[in-house]
Amino acid sequence: MIWKRTNVPAMALSEAYAPNFSDLTNTIRISTIKSWKEISNWYSDLVKKNLKLDKITKKTFAEIFPNGVTGISQEEIAKKIYSYIGNNIKYSSLDFRQSGYVPQKPSKTITTKLGDCKDVSTLFVALSQLAGMKANLVLVTTNDNGFTSMLLPSNDFNHCIVKVAIDGKDYFLELTDKYLPFKALPSSLYNANALVISFDKAENEKSKIIGIPFDNALKNVTNAVTTMTIDDKSKSFTNTFTISGANKSYYNEMFSDATTEDVRKKRIEEDYNSKLKKVVSLQSSKVVKNETYDKDITFETQFSISERIQTVGNLKITDIPFLDKVYTRDIISLESRKYDIDYFSYETSNEYNSEVILNIPQDKKFTEVPEGKTFTFKGHKYQIAFELVKPNTLKVVRTVTLNWDKISTTDYLEYKKYVEDVIAAEEQIVGFK
């Protein structure tokens, strides 16, 4: 058999946030496997050999649920199992210890306290079975490998997660990140190709590749309240952040015992320096509220910047210190694009809610206050509003909602204008005398 194409144009130069190379090139895919059910049944048979609910596994289950699971909600059962794995099993993937396909027995993962993605996922499934809950292994090709590599049945998967039914809804769980909140999913799994494996061959008759849905995953939301107090020589900041969803993993790790105070201070200062383009001196950082596997973390930081207030004649001016940047110029650096933007590779949040309170000396008052603005682009919406609370206190409220849908080349110019408008609004200044 011969496949032939002629006069194929050269590919355009690579662009930031473009689809994976494998999704852009001409590729011939051949498979000798007739259907996805064959892959599902094959992997189901492999796993069943090692999915033993032995004494060690049952003992562990009894330690997690000393009074059994009667009267405990399905959500709490799943979260307790998830928490046990996160707190006790260290992710480790080594060729000499682990098979490429066959997971360890749950008891081995428990006793060695080590496991790769398929090992921890299998342990979750085993403990769920003991609790009477339905859970399935899910084979995944993470989206950094593109979306067209699984058009035909194959076993070219590089990851394994879990699907669990909780109160009639399906949730997909990532178990290799011990800092990830329960029900949160990293952006590497967004719409990624996946195959749900069932131990019931009748269910496998309907096997097909799916894109991992994020409908029931925790939303990645950043809520920030910043109070900036200004005098002639410095600016002092108090900031309270509440981070929800997968982005919380970073802060769980940063505020854990795994990070020293010196390293934490350096990381926070570097983050603020990059966002404000200033030299920041951090005074303190502390957690206000957190349980590792709950949906959000609240923490507070205090820092100062030594700088003189800018003046224009008799007018003193300052910018608005947003500590969470919602759009950056690199996403619209090109005049036009040859490739779509895979938005999940640029953005990790679904929503930003920011409040900035500017306090100036009592004998001053704000005289130049910008107007509020609203901009929209398809699933994106940006709003900023200004409220003069007192003559010397100005409150700025900003809300941003967005999604990770692809930005097509035909929509790029409209999106570019939207981002330019947003950045202009972000860079507005306020004046006082």
Side-chain angles (χ1 to χ4, degrees), residues 227-231 357-361 366 390 392-394:
T227 299
M228 180 175 76
T229 302
I230 303 171
D231 60 36
I357 299 171
L358 305 177
N359 291 317
I360 56 177
F366 286 101
K390 295 189 296 186
N392 69 319
T393 299
L394 178 66

Side-chain angles (χ1 to χ4, degrees), residues 254-387:
M254 187 167 69
F255 285 102
S256 74
D257 293 338
T259 303
T260 65
E261 188 172 342
D262 288 343
V263 170
R264 180 162 50 248
K265 182 176 187 291
K266 182 180 178 182
R267 282 166 62 177
I268 293 173
E269 284 184 339
E270 288 176 346
D271 181 45
Y272 289 163
N273 287 342
S274 66
K275 289 175 178 175
L276 295 176
K277 310 300 182 188
K278 309 282 186 181
V279 178
V280 166
S281 176
L282 184 71
Q283 275 87 52
S284 67
S285 63
K286 65 178 182 180
V287 173
V288 176
K289 177 180 74 71
N290 188 39
E291 291 292 337
T292 302
Y293 300 114
D294 285 356
K295 71 175 185 177
D296 55 33
I297 178 174
T298 298
F299 62 94
E300 181 182 283
T301 61
Q302 293 183 327
F303 67 87
S304 60
I305 299 173
S306 296
E307 66 174 10
R308 290 186 175 276
I309 293 295
Q310 290 180 287
T311 60
V312 179
N314 294 326
L315 185 68
K316 299 179 185 294
I317 60 173
T318 185
D319 55 4
I320 304 165
F322 289 119
L323 294 177
D324 40 356
K325 299 300 182 184
V326 294
Y327 296 98
T328 51
R329 284 189 169 83
D330 62 318
I331 193 70
I332 54 166
S333 60
L334 301 175
E335 289 303 313
S336 63
R337 289 186 65 101
K338 302 296 183 183
Y339 302 118
D340 298 339
I341 297 173
D342 270 350
Y343 212 76
F344 65 85
S345 64
Y346 169 71
E347 178 60 73
T348 60
S349 291
N350 305 110
E351 184 179 325
Y352 295 89
N353 301 296
S354 309
E355 180 179 294
V356 177
I357 299 171
L358 305 177
N359 291 317
I360 56 177
Q362 290 281 354
D363 60 343
K364 307 292 183 184
K365 64 179 181 179
F366 286 101
T367 57
E368 301 295 330
V369 178
E371 293 182 0
K373 301 200 182 262
T374 299
F375 305 110
T376 60
F377 168 80
K378 295 196 169 180
H380 299 249
K381 185 174 183 180
Y382 175 95
Q383 291 181 293
I384 187 168
F386 300 84
E387 179 187 352

Side-chain angles (χ1 to χ4, degrees), residues 160-184:
C160 184
I161 62 172
V162 162
K163 184 182 85 168
V164 60
I166 300 175
D167 298 326
K169 290 184 178 180
D170 290 334
Y171 293 86
F172 292 82
L173 304 179
E174 167 65 63
L175 291 144
T176 61
D177 180 354
K178 69 177 184 178
Y179 297 112
L180 190 69
F182 176 61
K183 298 195 296 188

Side-chain angles (χ1 to χ4, degrees), residues 100-113:
Y101 293 111
V102 184
Q104 298 176 153
K105 292 180 180 179
S107 56
K108 183 176 181 182
T109 303
I110 292 168
T111 53
T112 62
K113 297 185 180 297

